[in-house]
Amino acid sequence: MASPTIPHEEVTLRHHFANDEQQKDASTIGMWVFLVTEIMFFGGLFLAYFAYRQAYPAAFASASNKTNLWLGAANTTVLICSSLTMAMAVHSAALGKRKLLVAFLVATLLLGGVFLGVKAYEYHDKWVHHEVPGAHFECEGCVDAGHAPLFFSLYFGMTGLHATHMLVGFVILVILIVQSAKGKYTAKWHTPIEMFGLYWHFVDIVWIFLFPLLYLIDRSKTGLK
Amino acid sequence: MITAPPPVKVTKNYLNEKTGLKSWLLTSDHKRIAVLYLIVVTAFFALGGVFAGLIRLELATPAGDLFESNTYNKVFTMHGILMVFFFLIPSIPATLGNFLIPMMIGAKDLAFPRINLLSWYIYMTGGVFTLYVLLTGGVDTGWTFYTPFSSSYSNGYVVAAGLGIFINGFSAILTGLNFIVTIHRMRAPGLTWFRLPLFVWAHYATSAIMILGTPVIAVTLFLLVLERGLHIGFFDPAYGGDPVLFQHLFWFYSHPAVYIMILPSMGVISEVISTFSSKKPFGYTFIAFSSIAIAVFGFLVWGHHLFVAGQSIYAGLVFSVLSYVVAIPSAIKVFNWAATMYKGQVRMETPMLYAIGFIGLFTVGGLTGIVLASLGMDVHLTDTYFVIAHFHYVMVGGALLGYMSGLHFWWPKMFGRMYSDVWSKVSAVLVFAGFNLTFFPQFLLGYMGMPRRYHVYPPEFQVFNVLSSAGASVLGVGLLLPAIYLTWSLKYGELAPPNPWGATGLEWQTQSPPISENFEVTPVVTTEAYDYSTVQEVVHIG
Amino acid sequence: MTMEPRSFQLFPDSASNFAPSVDGLYTYMVVISAFFSLLVAFLIVFFAIKYRKRPGQGVPAPINDHSIGSMILEIAWSVIPLGLSLVMFAWGASIMFTESRPPKDSLNIYVTGKRWMWKIQHLEGAREINELHVPVNRDIRLTMTSEDVIHDFYVPAFRTKADVLPGRYTTEWFRPTKVGDYHIFCAEYCGTKHSGMIGWVHVMTAEDYDKWLAQGSGEGSMAEEGESLFRQLGCANCHVKDGHGRAPNLYGAFGMKVDLADGSSVRFDEAYTRESILYPQAKIVAGYDRIMPTFHGLISDEGMLKLIEYIKSLGDPNGTIQEKDLQSEPSNIQKTGTMMPDQSEMPKAPAAKTPAAPRAAASTTPTGTQQ
């Protein structure tokens, strides 16, 4: 923590930057550029999803009925709430309210934990029902079983990649909680909190795309004739 | 009136300020990181070159008498992987770009110095995976990893190779991210966009491609690894997948990747031609915007690798016409470079020799590219030696020669030493001659119908293969010499003045080598770029 | 059958209908490329010499604005190259359009690529490995598939190639114009013996070709072989002739539009046939139940081609060819007409309903016929 006699800038301004504003701008642009790369990363999977859904609509429609709609919806709610708590954390940091900041960060962590817990349950459930692609794949009641594994591969690939991003977020969140508790972030400088907020919102948005594609589409068709 | 330069002494600089292995391996100085990259990139280039030599040795005779087929297939695969991912993509950006971009814009370092160091460690990790593959038996899929061969049939270490490239990709992403933020936010006062050196414009465009394209190859390799490990059917028809989808995903990155390889070289050439003509680049604005246009259009042409792959002809039409459009900005640059020399004061130093070699060879490479962009022509020529000749003209005759030009141009700045004038010019000539002898016959072989990736071939193809292999030995010698005289110059070369070539640009206003902070005082820019009237009379004439 | 080594040739033989136009386009491209390469090289060398720095030459004058250039030149050297290269685009596109539309009455020959050989099947039953006999001046269409990885069937003398994909049919056509023997090369890397996956096209006069065909291979024609597979696998049990069986009518169906249960439609071609046999639940015909079992693993790629030829031979909508087929292969067709398959060879099918008439596509209650 900066002592009263040392200007704050000297503690947090890195030597190659001319001033705080340049440093903050650089961090912000950097994080947005990084998120663009993440969009391209997930983009490849979305492309594969659309290509195969278009090629095998019957298989995808029936396989997507195997996802648990209520768990998916619950998870969506949980994740949106965690984005809210994260936004509140950033707001608290901007107001210099250390205790609130820590509280909201912890809330975000807990909500994220609920999400991952539900996901783990879903994965386990799929494993038990042999809906994991591979040598032992069996899809009960799936239409066009030859192409059904494609849906499940994409399900695991996309949600798995998303979950990995959440786990990385967790690790960073823990570090931020510890640092916040020590008072490292002030109203004047809390850039890491803001940057992490951007990342967390991005992870949330990816889920908001995944949920309709994997859980909602073709739910009304109870399988084709 | 030209006078002998005052004797230059070795002063405190970024090389000698701190010593010891730890000060190098934990550095955050962009200049030291550039030197770290220079060392490893050279090592991987040498390794890739050894494999090239083995290929040409085998192909001197029609029969497979040097290796058995599996070994040959692993050799050309390794040659491709090492050259594309571990040499061509990082070469200029990670060595010259890292060193020069902060200096050219008057900054003390890149925006994220520690991320810069991280990118080097990530590169090394990817390299370790690849070396592991090499030492444990290799991979035989070709650098393109087409499925279902790579996912279900190859007996090589596809997963490890895929992971190595996947990891290596993050090095490029972080480098590109760093450059974009730095160029946007850390320019010195008075340095507007249109006062930037064209080298910086070129790297800005390159960085945009790196950040947008590399994640796609990452996810593609991720899917390939999943498929191979878990027998999921993304790309294998036996499990319901589509092998052509892999090709689309792969080339969506790998085509823009070739522009990652050439744009930085073009940036070098703009600097070198201008300096050794003592003239501002003709059509500066057009050259700058051409770099951006190449980056944008480069993302729209990937399907020209799939003309005979089962893609619809209507898609083929779109990709073909766009491939012609993307060639135009490159043509604009070539003509602008020639016009720069018009009524200039031309000096034929070694960097300039490489630069004019670049212009000639890149022109041939680019023209043969538009030969291939024509649908009916590509049907005959795709997957033959014509394609190999085309991309070696742009990658070696273009990208590598640009790298050599840049290395020779900025060597005095980076290391404070001049290198042998005679030997460097001899090497440049050997490289140019050897290169043409190696690869021109391959155009002819391609039209004759010799397919690529062939271990054995019908005897009527032998004549041109022998010529090509002979050329390769000349090229090899030409490329070996710089390793010797440049290394020699580090200890015994004449000490370099701040601006031996009479160039403009902020980096030439510092001592050679620069101090760790780059500038004692942050420069303020008040003149336009490339104003040669402000440069002192040139003191070093070869 | 190894051929004599060829003598050195700068250009391959011009042996197909495509070769002259491809060679013509190439000549145009070589001339343009040579012109621009030499122009650029000349300018650079000329400027390097003419404008070389001379001793005593002072520093250049200061520049005032941020750019020197000439808009006219920039436009000229953008538009002219674009125009010249769009000619390349249009010419090449036109060649490829022709290449992608095999003439209707082309002679169809099947090619199956497999590591590391080419298996050729002629309709009449002749089979060959790594060799392709064709008559000169006839339009030949190759319908190709792979049993394993991606290959490519390339004949340099014909200036044409196409990738050969697993799980799919691709086509390539040409009209050989010169009698002779020409290289076949696999042109998509496929593993160890990729460079050994080569062969010869033998272009013969029409009479020689007929003579060669007549030698046959000891088997019946592809359609005949396909018909016996149709019986053995029990297809006729459901696919009965009059179309009132549990399964859609196949007689006269090949090449026609098929209406599917989800409202879309598809053309009854080779790919659809193959998909329906291996992934029968992917596309259900309107009015039929989802009851066809899969034959994945029960039919080889070559067998599949025979079945396809048989189904093709089941007549066209005019009915005339059907009559002709009945007459030319009386014994076989009579048998298939009655279709009493051997029960033990019939693959298991779930208990199925027999609708009296085709139902409307959108059915509300699936009735446990899912598989």
Side-chain angles (χ1 to χ4, degrees):
Chain A
M1 184 140 158
S3 84
T5 53
I6 301 173
H8 187 86
E9 268 171 345
E10 285 184 30
V11 175
T12 56
L13 182 66
R14 307 257 344 271
H15 75 99
H16 55 285
F17 286 115
N19 53 53
D20 263 347
E21 195 203 332
Q22 191 188 53
Q23 179 174 263
K24 172 89 188 288
D25 276 353
S27 299
T28 310
I29 301 177
M31 178 50 78
W32 279 106
V33 170
F34 174 68
L35 293 180
V36 165
T37 72
E38 293 278 47
I39 293 173
M40 297 306 288
F41 195 51
F42 277 95
L45 288 175
F46 278 96
L47 182 84
Y49 175 90
F50 283 118
Y52 284 131
R53 171 168 276 280
Q54 199 266 330
Y56 308 118
F60 267 60
S62 105
S64 57
N65 276 291
K66 297 287 185 178
T67 54
N68 187 319
L69 179 60
W70 301 113
L71 289 180
N75 255 357
T76 307
T77 315
V78 162
L79 209 55
I80 293 179
C81 288
S82 81
S83 255
L84 177 63
T85 53
M86 189 64 219
M88 293 307 299
V90 174
H91 184 66
S92 308
L95 292 175
K97 302 204 161 149
R98 180 163 63 96
K99 289 204 179 111
L100 267 186
L101 167 61
V102 174
F104 279 120
L105 286 177
V106 170
T108 308
L109 186 70
L110 291 174
L111 286 168
V114 169
F115 179 95
L116 285 179
V118 170
K119 266 256 93 23
Y121 171 76
E122 283 182 280
Y123 277 17
H124 170 77
D125 187 66
K126 293 229 158 7
W127 173 265
V128 159
H129 287 101
H130 297 289
E131 285 159 2
V132 177
H136 306 290
F137 180 81
E138 254 175 56
C139 178
E140 216 182 283
C142 268
V143 169
D144 189 9
H147 292 125
L150 284 172
F151 175 83
F152 291 102
S153 310
L154 284 162
Y155 171 84
F156 283 108
M158 294 166 99
T159 59
L161 193 63
H162 177 260
T164 309
H165 280 80
M166 284 199 63
L167 282 171
V168 170
F170 264 43
V171 171
I172 300 175
L173 206 41
V174 166
I175 296 173
L176 291 179
I177 290 171
V178 167
Q179 302 282 50
S180 303
K182 287 192 199 157
K184 184 163 176 194
Y185 305 112
T186 64
K188 193 156 189 273
W189 182 81
H190 48 274
T191 309
I193 305 284
E194 290 173 300
M195 298 300 111
F196 182 77
L198 283 176
Y199 176 79
W200 194 255
H201 294 319
F202 171 79
V203 173
D204 188 16
I205 290 178
V206 170
W207 177 260
I208 290 173
F209 277 87
L210 289 183
F211 176 61
L213 290 182
L214 297 172
Y215 291 81
L216 293 181
I217 294 188
D218 283 330
R219 187 62 67 165
S220 57
K221 290 189 195 165
T222 48
L224 301 175
K225 183 171 61 79
Chain B
M1 152 89 167
I2 302 163
T3 51
V8 180
K9 291 206 200 111
V10 180
T11 54
K12 191 174 84 149
N13 60 60
Y14 79 96
L15 286 169
N16 58 29
E17 187 169 353
K18 277 183 269 189
T19 53
L21 198 58
K22 209 168 135 184
S23 75
W24 279 90
L25 294 179
L26 293 177
T27 183
S28 60
D29 181 351
H30 66 101
K31 299 180 291 301
R32 284 194 166 200
I33 295 173
V35 172
L36 289 175
Y37 265 112
L38 177 63
I39 296 169
V40 294
V41 153
T42 306
F44 277 109
F45 175 69
L47 191 54
V50 165
F51 286 120
L54 291 174
I55 292 173
R56 285 312 329 160
L57 209 51
E58 172 67 276
L59 290 180
T61 60
D65 31 23
L66 195 59
F67 310 113
E68 49 170 44
S69 291
N70 270 326
T71 310
Y72 180 79
N73 296 339
K74 290 174 181 175
V75 167
F76 75 67
T77 300
M78 258 312 160
H79 169 70
I81 291 176
L82 290 171
M83 287 307 199
V84 168
F85 295 109
F86 291 90
F87 175 68
L88 284 166
I89 287 183
S91 58
I92 295 178
T95 59
L96 298 174
N98 262 332
F99 196 99
L100 295 165
I101 288 178
M103 301 197 69
M104 287 179 166
I105 65 174
K108 292 201 172 92
D109 206 314
L110 290 174
F112 307 115
R114 291 172 299 190
I115 289 185
N116 198 12
L117 182 66
L118 177 64
S119 80
W120 184 79
Y121 279 104
I122 292 176
Y123 173 95
M124 294 295 279
T125 309
V128 162
F129 269 83
T130 309
L131 288 173
Y132 165 78
V133 167
L134 184 58
L135 294 169
T136 50
V139 62
D140 65 342
T141 57
W143 79 276
T144 47
F145 291 100
Y146 274 18
T147 58
F149 178 71
S150 60
S151 55
S152 310
Y153 290 83
S154 167
N155 290 319
Y157 288 84
V158 176
V159 170
L163 283 176
I165 298 168
F166 177 87
I167 292 168
N168 178 271
F170 289 102
S171 173
I173 290 175
L174 293 177
T175 300
L177 191 155
N178 229 336
F179 286 176
I180 288 181
V181 178
T182 304
I183 296 171
H184 267 283
R185 247 350 232 109
M186 295 177 70
R187 285 170 281 128
L191 188 51
T192 57
W193 281 90
F194 290 102
R195 287 178 174 176
L196 282 172
L198 288 167
F199 182 88
V200 178
W201 275 98
H203 278 79
Y204 185 80
T206 304
S207 300
I209 306 177
M210 278 173 160
I211 59 151
L212 292 173
T214 316
V216 178
I217 189 77
V219 85
T220 308
L221 291 172
F222 168 66
L223 290 177
L224 176 64
V225 162
L226 276 186
E227 173 143 328
R228 185 156 166 98
L230 306 175
H231 295 295
I232 300 175
F234 287 114
F235 307 123
D236 189 340
Y239 303 105
D242 184 357
V244 180
L245 180 66
F246 177 86
Q247 294 180 39
H248 279 288
L249 285 170
F250 179 85
W251 287 110
F252 185 82
Y253 162 75
S254 300
H255 188 83
V258 312
Y259 297 113
I260 295 177
M261 300 177 215
I262 200 69
L263 278 170
S265 272
M266 290 173 155
V268 170
I269 300 306
S270 294
E271 301 297 328
V272 170
I273 297 273
S274 170
T275 300
F276 292 100
S277 307
S278 293
K279 197 159 155 266
K280 176 153 184 161
F282 192 91
Y284 169 99
T285 319
F286 277 87
I287 297 181
F289 281 129
S290 291
S291 295
I292 306 295
I294 290 171
V296 170
F297 282 101
F299 273 100
L300 303 178
V301 299
W302 79 90
H304 67 222
H305 299 271
L306 285 101
F307 284 156
V308 299
Q311 182 176 255
S312 97
I313 189 175
Y314 299 103
L317 283 173
V318 172
F319 285 119
S320 176
V321 77
L322 285 170
S323 302
Y324 284 99
V325 170
V326 81
I328 297 301
S330 296
I332 289 176
K333 289 192 186 199
V334 168
F335 292 123
N336 275 300
W337 289 322
T340 305
M341 292 170 73
Y342 175 73
K343 291 196 173 161
Q345 300 177 0
V346 179
R347 291 169 284 140
M348 291 310 245
E349 302 290 352
T350 303
M352 186 63 164
L353 282 182
Y354 276 113
I356 63 174
F358 172 103
I359 295 177
L361 298 178
F362 174 76
T363 302
V364 172
L367 289 167
T368 51
I370 62 172
V371 166
L372 291 167
S374 173
L375 287 159
M377 199 69 245
D378 189 70
V379 169
H380 177 53
L381 292 175
T382 193
D383 256 291
T384 66
Y385 262 81
F386 194 94
V387 176
I388 295 190
H390 156 69
F391 68 68
H392 282 90
Y393 263 83
V394 282
M395 294 290 104
V396 180
L400 177 67
L401 252 60
Y403 179 64
M404 297 301 275
S405 178
L407 211 54
H408 284 79
F409 185 54
W410 280 290
W411 188 268
K413 176 58 56 187
M414 291 169 75
F415 299 106
R417 301 280 180 165
M418 304 303 292
Y419 47 80
S420 160
D421 195 48
V422 169
W423 282 110
S424 59
K425 288 180 173 161
V426 164
S427 302
V429 170
L430 282 177
V431 165
F432 186 83
F435 170 83
N436 278 301
L437 187 56
T438 308
F439 290 105
F440 195 84
Q442 294 185 8
F443 284 125
L444 306 173
L445 277 175
Y447 204 83
M448 284 162 73
M450 179 172 172
R452 56 185 292 195
R453 296 175 166 169
Y454 261 37
H455 176 214
V456 300
Y457 56 80
E460 63 261 33
F461 294 138
Q462 184 171 19
V463 172
F464 286 146
N465 269 293
V466 168
L467 286 176
S468 178
S469 297
S473 52
V474 175
L475 178 60
V477 170
L479 290 171
L480 198 54
L481 288 174
I484 301 173
Y485 65 71
L486 285 176
T487 314
W488 188 92
S489 78
L490 290 174
K491 191 144 193 254
Y492 301 109
E494 181 195 321
L495 291 175
N499 191 357
W501 308 120
T504 61
L506 293 173
E507 76 272 26
W508 299 106
Q509 289 169 23
T510 65
Q511 61 174 54
S512 302
I515 56 173
S516 293
E517 311 292 304
N518 298 340
F519 303 96
E520 307 270 3
V521 173
T522 301
V524 174
V525 177
T526 51
T527 56
E528 297 302 321
Y530 304 105
D531 191 347
Y532 289 93
S533 69
T534 62
V535 173
Q536 279 180 325
E537 181 70 40
V538 174
V539 291
H540 176 86
I541 292 191
Chain C
M1 173 191 178
T2 48
M3 306 299 298
E4 297 277 317
R6 294 313 197 68
S7 58
F8 174 81
Q9 290 170 274
L10 201 54
F11 268 45
D13 281 308
S14 171
S16 82
N17 58 320
F18 297 119
S21 40
V22 170
D23 289 350
L25 174 55
Y26 189 60
T27 306
Y28 171 77
M29 289 169 162
V30 168
V31 166
I32 302 270
S33 304
F35 173 74
F36 280 100
S37 309
L38 291 171
L39 174 69
V40 166
F42 169 75
L43 283 175
I44 296 210
V45 171
F46 178 66
F47 291 161
I49 297 174
K50 177 158 183 198
Y51 299 108
R52 66 190 181 281
K53 184 175 175 77
R54 292 173 181 79
Q57 214 170 2
V59 281
I63 46 174
N64 293 322
D65 59 82
H66 72 80
S67 196
I68 55 168
S70 154
M71 186 57 93
I72 295 182
L73 272 178
E74 299 287 354
I75 293 176
W77 63 43
S78 307
V79 168
I80 295 174
L82 184 63
L84 291 170
S85 37
L86 286 178
V87 169
M88 296 182 192
F89 160 72
W91 193 340
S94 133
I95 293 176
M96 193 164 187
F97 256 104
T98 315
E99 285 172 340
S100 65
R101 281 158 167 64
K104 274 195 155 23
D105 54 354
S106 310
L107 176 59
N108 194 26
I109 302 180
Y110 287 103
V111 175
T112 305
K114 168 193 149 76
R115 312 208 301 162
W116 290 278
M117 61 167 81
W118 296 106
K119 298 195 276 192
I120 318 279
Q121 290 167 274
H122 294 256
L123 297 182
E124 299 80 356
R127 306 179 55 183
E128 22 187 5
I129 304 253
N130 293 334
E131 303 193 52
L132 171 63
H133 286 81
V134 289
V136 73
N137 292 322
R138 277 282 297 280
D139 294 330
I140 314 284
R141 182 183 67 183
L142 303 178
T143 302
M144 311 187 282
T145 187
S146 164
E147 286 182 23
D148 39 40
V149 300
I150 302 180
H151 300 281
D152 186 291
F153 194 88
Y154 176 36
V155 184
F158 296 167
R159 311 289 188 277
T160 173
K161 62 163 66 76
D163 275 7
V164 175
L165 301 171
R168 237 174 96 170
Y169 295 115
T170 54
T171 56
E172 184 179 343
W173 84 271
F174 45 79
R175 186 180 331 120
T177 50
K178 202 164 106 176
V179 167
D181 305 308
Y182 311 105
H183 281 297
I184 299 171
F185 292 130
C186 174
E188 184 58 61
Y189 175 69
C190 52
T192 312
K193 286 196 184 346
H194 168 58
S195 47
M197 195 164 161
I198 63 178
W200 294 96
V201 180
H202 303 288
V203 179
M204 318 170 100
T205 61
E207 305 84 55
D208 286 342
Y209 178 69
D210 287 336
K211 266 191 242 155
W212 177 84
L213 260 190
Q215 292 165 32
S217 67
E219 297 181 345
S221 73
M222 286 180 74
E224 285 168 357
E225 298 282 310
E227 189 262 315
S228 89
L229 274 173
F230 195 82
R231 263 187 305 122
Q232 279 169 32
L233 293 165
C235 314
N237 212 36
C238 301
H239 289 284
V240 294
K241 185 171 175 188
D242 57 6
H244 291 319
R246 294 182 276 271
N249 169 44
L250 298 177
Y251 287 76
F254 195 92
M256 308 302 291
K257 192 178 82 143
V258 179
D259 289 317
L260 300 178
D262 63 2
S264 63
S265 65
V266 76
R267 208 182 134 258
F268 197 136
D269 59 9
E270 288 92 341
Y272 173 69
T273 313
R274 184 199 164 94
E275 184 183 35
S276 301
I277 296 173
L278 298 180
Y279 301 102
Q281 314 233 332
K283 294 186 171 70
I284 300 292
V285 176
Y288 290 90
D289 283 327
R290 194 176 292 278
I291 54 171
M292 178 170 167
T294 175
F295 291 82
H296 204 287
L298 297 172
I299 305 180
S300 69
D301 274 300
E302 285 174 279
M304 181 69 69
L305 295 173
K306 292 171 181 169
L307 270 174
I308 288 173
E309 273 305 303
Y310 171 64
I311 291 171
K312 276 193 201 175
S313 76
L314 291 180
D316 71 17
N318 297 331
T320 48
I321 296 177
Q322 194 170 3
E323 290 299 308
K324 210 168 93 179
D325 277 348
L326 281 170
Q327 281 160 10
S328 61
E329 303 165 65
S331 51
N332 292 335
I333 300 296
Q334 298 299 358
K335 278 192 200 143
T336 58
T338 49
M339 278 300 175
M340 293 303 277
D342 180 354
Q343 291 294 332
S344 62
E345 280 187 86
M346 212 179 90
K348 296 195 186 74
K353 299 179 120 198
T354 356
R359 282 195 236 128
S363 150
T364 45
T365 46
T367 42
T369 53
Q370 293 282 11
Q371 175 52 40

